[in-house]
Amino acid sequence: MKPAETENGGTVPARRRLAPAERTPQILAAALEEFAERGYAGASMAAAAARAGVTKGLIYHYFPGKADLFKAVVRSCVQPVFNEAERLIAAFEGPKAELLRGLIELAYDRVATERRERILFKLILAEADRFPELAAFYNAEVLSRALALVGGVLRAGAASGEFRPAAAEAAGLAPVLMAPAIMASIWQMMLGEGRSPNLAAMRKAHVDLVLQGLVQARAPGQGAPAA
Amino acid sequence: MKPAETENGGTVPARRRLAPAERTPQILAAALEEFAERGYAGASMAAAAARAGVTKGLIYHYFPGKADLFKAVVRSCVQPVFNEAERLIAAFEGPKAELLRGLIELAYDRVATERRERILFKLILAEADRFPELAAFYNAEVLSRALALVGGVLRAGAASGEFRPAAAEAAGLAPVLMAPAIMASIWQMMLGEGRSPNLAAMRKAHVDLVLQGLVQARAPGQGAPAA
DNA sequence: TCAGCTATTGACCAATCGGTCGATAAGCAA
DNA sequence: TTGCTTATCGACCGATTGGTCAATAGCTGA
């Protein structure tokens, strides 16, 4: 075990000393992989250290314990997700329906490419009851933020008359709109890309259903006569 | 630890001998709780045994090892889920839209009540890559079956002209229709009943969106332009 | 009543884990 | 070059785990 054969390709001399600002992200990345593969309880500190090319003792030099390392891993992963969506919404001008389509398609495309976020979601879900603060963190930093974004678009569209008035009740509708993309991600994770429901087909059906179901009929006054 | 104080309320004499047909489900139920609370790796055989009011050794008398116990737990839980839906579909006569609404509402109501199925889904998701056969089992026995049920309704509705023709492309649409109810279940599990998106609101918005998005406009010839 | 089958126990083992700590050496400042 | 700081190692510990097995005792049929 003299040459580090973990992920740095070469034959780095063992015991290279690095600045904490450089070693810490190495450890976090290695720990993410370890936690993702074995789950919280199954993950081994020694194995995580080995993935980072260091020894277990060093991890305890940077993190007080396993639980703290886990939380640090989660926190280090959630930041960049929303920037894209928020920029898209802020910069968009045009029909709200097109904005909504863009958001949905963005979500599916991220699912298709970004693997780390899928893994992270699984981790949070699996360990939520053992780390209540983690569930609270997910709720505040991820779910609520996403719901607010989608809800804002829905209400704007309803206010402008472009969407049916029911779209304004975003409390129920926003999660319904987001769910299929998230489930697509989960299925990909569980079943692999081969056996999961087809991503492109879901994306198309999803956009289609949402636009047909939300956009106000062009000829007003003949909507749902109901009973 | 003389009187068993686990879940049988009374002061049963220690070491009661039971027929395997009676003890096995006890062990399976106890193991489900243990796995659900601590995850696969975190669960302890001794703790699962204690929950069942027996000792670890007895579990190894009934199951070859931890992995086998886990698989047996999963298998023992998935059977009764589909009977209800299949009965509903078979017995139903009337507009396909009403059948679809009934299925969606059934799904949400199960989410609200059945706790074991939520737990089970979480377990399968969390341990899918460690037990590939488990993912395959979920795919074959749960997801595919559910997709086939929903897809059948969609195609029937499209064939009868009640749904828009796009409904026939069930490969993408069926998972999109099922996803919100499943996500509702997952959110309930992660965040508790308090902080999750409101179940009743989601149910209403979901039904509303689906029916508006799928049902063929009543006046023909002016719905989808471009034949 | 009694003998036999087997459900059930409890003690045991090797392996592994999270965590601790003194020793070591890599880098930097002087 | 020298010396100090501290990143890094590796050996170690107590606790717990999955798994084994011989001994025991509850039930049932004769």
Side-chain angles (χ1 to χ4, degrees):
Chain A
M1 221 234 259
K2 274 300 171 52
E5 44 183 329
T6 28
E7 65 187 52
N8 43 25
T11 332
V12 192
R15 191 178 258 238
R16 241 202 60 199
R17 187 195 179 101
L18 288 186
E22 198 169 354
R23 183 114 293 167
T24 306
Q26 280 183 6
I27 295 179
L28 285 175
L32 170 64
E33 297 213 6
E34 173 73 8
F35 281 128
E37 268 185 30
R38 325 231 178 189
Y40 177 77
S44 143
M45 297 292 276
R51 279 181 205 255
V54 297
T55 53
K56 189 174 52 164
L58 187 58
I59 296 195
Y60 285 93
H61 183 70
Y62 285 99
F63 301 93
K66 192 188 196 184
D68 309 85
L69 174 63
F70 181 70
K71 288 184 245 171
V73 164
V74 171
R75 293 224 165 76
S76 75
C77 276
V78 194
Q79 298 139 357
V81 188
F82 285 95
N83 300 346
E84 206 167 343
E86 275 163 353
R87 227 182 315 119
L88 182 63
I89 292 181
F92 195 87
E93 299 182 19
K96 290 293 183 295
E98 281 312 307
L99 176 55
L100 206 50
R101 149 183 280 141
L103 285 175
I104 294 175
E105 292 179 343
L106 172 68
Y108 279 91
D109 293 345
R110 276 200 91 91
V111 166
T113 57
E114 289 290 337
R115 181 172 141 268
R116 284 177 42 171
E117 294 165 13
R118 282 186 260 164
I119 292 179
L120 188 73
F121 184 86
K122 178 179 96 174
L123 265 180
I124 296 182
L125 168 60
E127 316 292 351
D129 21 327
R130 236 160 334 218
F131 296 93
E133 17 170 345
L134 213 63
F137 174 77
Y138 167 79
N139 183 39
E141 293 296 314
V142 183
L143 181 58
S144 295
R145 245 173 111 186
L147 287 175
L149 285 182
V150 175
V153 174
L154 289 179
R155 273 183 285 264
S160 74
E162 189 181 348
F163 293 159
R164 296 172 37 236
E169 293 173 24
L173 190 51
V176 168
L177 293 191
M178 291 169 40
I182 305 177
M183 278 309 299
S185 156
I186 293 178
W187 280 322
Q188 291 267 325
M189 210 163 32
M190 288 179 62
L191 309 172
E193 335 236 327
R195 290 181 299 190
S196 334
N198 183 277
L199 217 56
M202 281 188 67
R203 196 179 94 151
K204 181 177 184 312
H206 191 176
V207 168
D208 206 43
L209 174 72
V210 168
L211 295 190
Q212 285 284 340
L214 280 189
V215 172
Q216 186 90 267
R218 248 161 274 131
Q222 76 123 301
Chain B
M1 221 234 261
K2 275 300 172 49
E5 43 183 328
T6 28
E7 65 187 54
N8 44 26
T11 332
V12 192
R15 193 177 255 239
R16 234 193 80 199
R17 188 195 179 103
L18 289 186
E22 198 168 356
R23 184 116 290 170
T24 305
Q26 280 183 5
I27 294 178
L28 286 175
L32 170 65
E33 297 213 6
E34 174 72 7
F35 281 128
E37 268 185 29
R38 326 233 178 185
Y40 175 78
S44 143
M45 297 291 275
R51 279 181 205 255
V54 297
T55 53
K56 189 176 51 166
L58 187 59
I59 295 194
Y60 285 92
H61 183 71
Y62 285 98
F63 301 93
K66 193 188 193 181
D68 309 85
L69 174 63
F70 181 69
K71 288 184 246 170
V73 164
V74 172
R75 293 222 165 76
S76 75
C77 277
V78 193
Q79 296 140 357
V81 188
F82 285 95
N83 300 346
E84 207 168 342
E86 274 164 352
R87 226 181 316 120
L88 182 62
I89 291 181
F92 195 86
E93 299 182 20
K96 290 293 183 295
E98 280 311 309
L99 176 55
L100 206 51
R101 150 183 279 141
L103 285 174
I104 294 175
E105 292 180 343
L106 173 67
Y108 279 91
D109 292 346
R110 276 201 92 90
V111 166
T113 57
E114 290 289 334
R115 184 172 141 268
R116 284 178 41 171
E117 294 165 14
R118 282 186 260 164
I119 292 179
L120 188 73
F121 184 86
K122 178 178 98 176
L123 266 180
I124 297 183
L125 168 61
E127 315 292 349
D129 21 330
R130 237 162 333 219
F131 297 92
E133 18 170 345
L134 213 64
F137 174 77
Y138 167 79
N139 183 38
E141 292 295 316
V142 183
L143 181 57
S144 294
R145 246 172 111 187
L147 287 176
L149 285 182
V150 175
V153 175
L154 289 179
R155 272 183 287 265
S160 74
E162 189 181 348
F163 293 160
R164 296 171 40 234
E169 293 173 24
L173 191 51
V176 167
L177 292 190
M178 291 170 38
I182 305 177
M183 277 309 299
S185 156
I186 293 178
W187 280 322
Q188 291 267 324
M189 211 163 31
M190 288 179 63
L191 309 172
E193 336 235 329
R195 290 180 298 188
S196 334
N198 184 277
L199 217 57
M202 282 189 68
R203 195 180 95 151
K204 180 176 185 313
H206 190 177
V207 168
D208 206 43
L209 174 72
V210 168
L211 296 190
Q212 286 283 340
L214 281 189
V215 172
Q216 186 91 267
R218 246 160 272 131
Q222 78 122 309

